Amino acid sequence: MSKEETKTGRSQFVTKIGVIAATVGSAVGLGNIWRFPYEVGTHGGGAFLICYLFFIIAIGVPLLCAESAVGRRSRSNVVDAYRKLSGSNKWKPMGYLAVLTAIVILGFYCVVSGWTMEYMYQSVAGNLHYSSQPEYAAMFSKFIGSDIRPIVWTLIFLAINFRILIKGVEKGIEKMSNIMMPLLFLILIAFCINSLMMPGAQEGLKFMFTPDFSKITPAVLLSALGQAFFSLSIGMGCVLTYGSYFSDSTNLPKTAGIIAVCDTLVAILAGLMIFPAVFTFGGTPAAGPTLVFEVLPAIFNHLPLGSLWASLFFLLLFIASLTSSISMFEIGIAFFTEKFKIRRIVATSIITGITAILAVFCSLSFGSMSTFTIFGKNMFDLSDYVSSNIFMPIGGLGIAIFTGWVVNKQFLKNQLSNNGSHHFAGENLIIFSLRFLSPAAIVLIFLNSLGII
Ligand code: TRP
């Protein structure tokens, strides 16, 4: 991050672009390209998409504003932020939950990033050439079931994160992502056009955009909510931590709007790339977490210079996942260094170590530990489910109640308008959402999907 030390000794983003690059870099990641298509695929297509878009606008944007406001006002890590603004220790558990959530997500996120690296390697080596989609699916399941290989990639990914985090070379990463992210966007558009010319395009579009309202169940609503949280990086102190590095002149609602639009566009483009191909090559949209890894190589293989496209795509996806994983590590590191006054390298080692253990279990879920299940889910699915569908909604509920009801009323107004220095028309809508709509929706969906109401 292009941060510089301020008088208070805390780093701050230097430029407006730095703010956008870091927050969009955090938001756009595997959540958009890997998780979004498989969630749409398993939850009935268009019906899921509509719920998702609704949650992004009605709950996501207000929560982005709320989190960044709390971060900027308190200028501290997630645990201290609650204490500083409320003046009591009662809210501290919310901060701890955020740190825990970050680590749980990292556990499976690093595994999927490892898969991305394997595919990057295989495309450069020119090994992604099969004649049919089932062969790609078989290749992928052989890879993730092979125990050692996916773990090695996961650990390499963790080591890269570790190195970046201790060297503080985020500046370099940010510069790189300033080029790579727009490139990812362009290449996605190109692949979408390509997919839209496939024979299965119509069926793919129909699946994605025609809502079958009978498919909207409590479970679908909860998953759409969870996906909105995951994709925007909200509900676990990530935006809060980045917000604590924002300058006083950063326009929070505008920044939130830019993040939401960029993030949603990338997800829709990913869907437009995947679903026509799924119906063309005879895959099933409901394949789950393995979906994109089974479908993408088939798309590239049908293009001239396929290996080149594949290498470029997986490289960009790897960079996108790196900027996201770094933002998640930053939550725990900011907390551990400030709380226990330990050096950055020590905090980074502790968190990377815990993540590595968790990641090994998640990775083995597809291999020798596939029969080890808790509540009917393997470790990978369980971490994914618990973080997005339980921890993050609770975190989001906490931040909505905290900003809507606990801190004084003027707080949000001041933060959204930078103490009245600019007028923001949607201010009351955002406050309404944080006070009433978001808490009510999260609680209702949550209880409903647990079968309590
Ligand atoms: N939003 C990222 C993605 O879509 C993942 C991510 C980064 C995240 N930071 C987060 C998710 C914080 C939840 C909370 O890939």
Side-chain angles (χ1 to χ4, degrees), residues 120-134:
M120 197 161 77
Y121 168 77
Q122 295 293 0
S123 359
V124 173
N127 291 341
L128 288 183
H129 294 298
Y130 292 98
S131 51
S132 71
Q133 207 270 337

Side-chain angles (χ1 to χ4, degrees), residues 16-51:
K16 285 208 174 84
I17 285 295
V19 168
I20 301 287
T23 43
V24 172
S26 159
V28 173
L30 295 172
N32 307 62
I33 292 167
W34 157 73
R35 200 173 189 278
F36 175 78
Y38 101 65
E39 284 282 327
V40 173
T42 41
H43 292 108
F48 179 90
L49 184 64
I50 291 218
C51 303

